[in-house]
Amino acid sequence: MSIEVYHLHLSQSERIVWLLEELDIPYNLHVFKRNPTTALSPDDLKAVTPYGTAPYFRDTSVTPEVTLSESSAIAQYILAKYPASSSGSRMIREPSDPDFAQYLQWFHYANGSLQASVSRQMTIVLAGLGNSDVAKIFMARFASQLKIIEAHLGENKWFAGAEPSAADVMSMFSLSTMRGFSPYNLGPYPNILRWMKDVSERPAYKRALEKGDFGMAPMIDPITRRFTEFPSFKKALESVEV
């Protein structure tokens, strides 16, 4: 196979595994477990990629081979080369599609705004400041983002209209698995919860979790589990209120 994907357990590289499963594209998957104490990338992943992070992507069908490490760049590359699967699954929107602008907005919102906010909150939580005034200020700002997403998904089944797209693939991690490191309550957002349930029922998403995350149950409940199995973060995660 010409595509090599390096995936870190419990990380945003689940996006790439899911996208490839949706498109039914053959690939080799290399799964790495986090350091059991620090939860950071293990040394064997750092030995593969100069960035020491996941996702890491290689396309060996071209010369020189393509290597990418940003999940949005990897997704765009895959969609440009493999826009539709043999089964007909279509995860991209073209300029001629009525949902094209909406697709672009939410595809880039996922990393540009949503993931950035959750990552900031995660940093505050893991620093032991999850119940601080600063954390509450930023959580209030994040809540305004969730309200925007909630309203959008109240009018649209998927992020880019009536059918799933890569905009959904890019968004799911921040609203689900990421909460294990950055706990927050999605109870007030029924449309987001409905959408996550729809995602969790997709065969490609199930396969992605089976292959990349050891059959982990989708983290789609209003309040979900915390990754307290990592000693470095256990105290901080247990103490934060949601």
Side-chain angles (χ1 to χ4, degrees):
M1 298 180 198
S2 60
I3 292 180
E4 307 285 335
V5 176
Y6 300 81
H7 165 62
L8 179 63
H9 178 44
L10 305 177
S11 83
Q12 62 179 308
S13 53
E14 74 175 39
R15 296 162 163 170
I16 306 307
V17 184
W18 177 21
L19 180 62
L20 288 167
E21 289 294 329
E22 285 283 357
L23 294 173
D24 196 25
I25 298 170
Y27 65 102
N28 285 321
L29 180 62
H30 309 268
V31 180
F32 298 80
K33 291 185 178 180
R34 291 178 177 272
N35 181 291
T37 300
T38 66
L40 301 178
S41 296
D43 290 340
D44 50 351
L45 176 58
K46 294 176 183 178
V48 171
T49 162
Y51 310 98
T53 59
Y56 186 59
F57 173 91
R58 296 170 54 222
D59 184 350
T60 62
S61 68
V62 294
T63 305
E65 73 173 44
V66 168
T67 61
L68 297 167
S69 64
E70 291 294 325
S71 57
S72 55
I74 296 169
Q76 283 197 270
Y77 178 88
I78 292 169
L79 291 164
K81 291 202 68 173
Y82 311 96
S85 74
S86 58
S87 63
S89 178
R90 184 171 174 272
M91 302 299 286
I92 195 172
R93 299 293 183 271
E94 303 290 355
S96 57
D97 294 320
D99 295 323
F100 177 64
Q102 184 170 252
Y103 165 80
L104 287 180
Q105 167 69 15
W106 291 107
F107 180 92
H108 291 286
Y109 186 90
N111 256 10
S113 295
L114 178 59
Q115 178 69 4
S117 291
V118 180
S119 294
R120 178 173 55 216
Q121 199 69 16
M122 180 188 72
T123 302
I124 292 172
V125 167
L126 297 183
L129 302 172
N131 300 318
S132 66
D133 290 340
V134 170
K136 292 174 183 177
I137 289 171
F138 284 114
M139 194 62 212
R141 293 183 182 179
F142 179 49
S144 66
Q145 290 182 287
L146 292 175
K147 289 177 182 177
I148 292 171
I149 297 171
E150 172 73 7
H152 178 70
L153 291 175
E155 298 177 353
N156 299 271
K157 181 173 175 57
W158 301 94
F159 270 93
E163 299 294 334
S165 73
D168 301 286
V169 172
M170 292 298 295
S171 301
M172 181 63 171
F173 172 76
S174 304
L175 295 167
S176 59
T177 309
M178 184 78 171
R179 287 189 290 152
F181 291 114
S182 181
Y184 61 91
N185 182 8
L186 285 175
Y189 309 100
N191 295 322
I192 294 177
L193 292 171
R194 184 274 309 160
W195 170 80
M196 289 202 301
K197 184 175 185 296
D198 289 344
V199 168
S200 73
E201 293 173 350
R202 293 191 66 76
Y205 187 72
K206 292 178 181 179
R207 291 195 301 271
L209 293 187
E210 180 66 32
K211 294 179 180 180
D213 288 283
F214 312 104
M216 178 182 75
M219 297 174 64
I220 60 173
D221 293 328
I223 297 177
T224 191
R225 73 183 183 96
R226 306 175 188 201
F227 299 144
T228 54
E229 61 265 39
F230 301 108
S232 294
F233 299 151
K234 186 176 191 298
K235 183 177 179 180
L237 288 172
E238 288 181 338
S239 65
V240 68
E241 300 171 0
V242 296

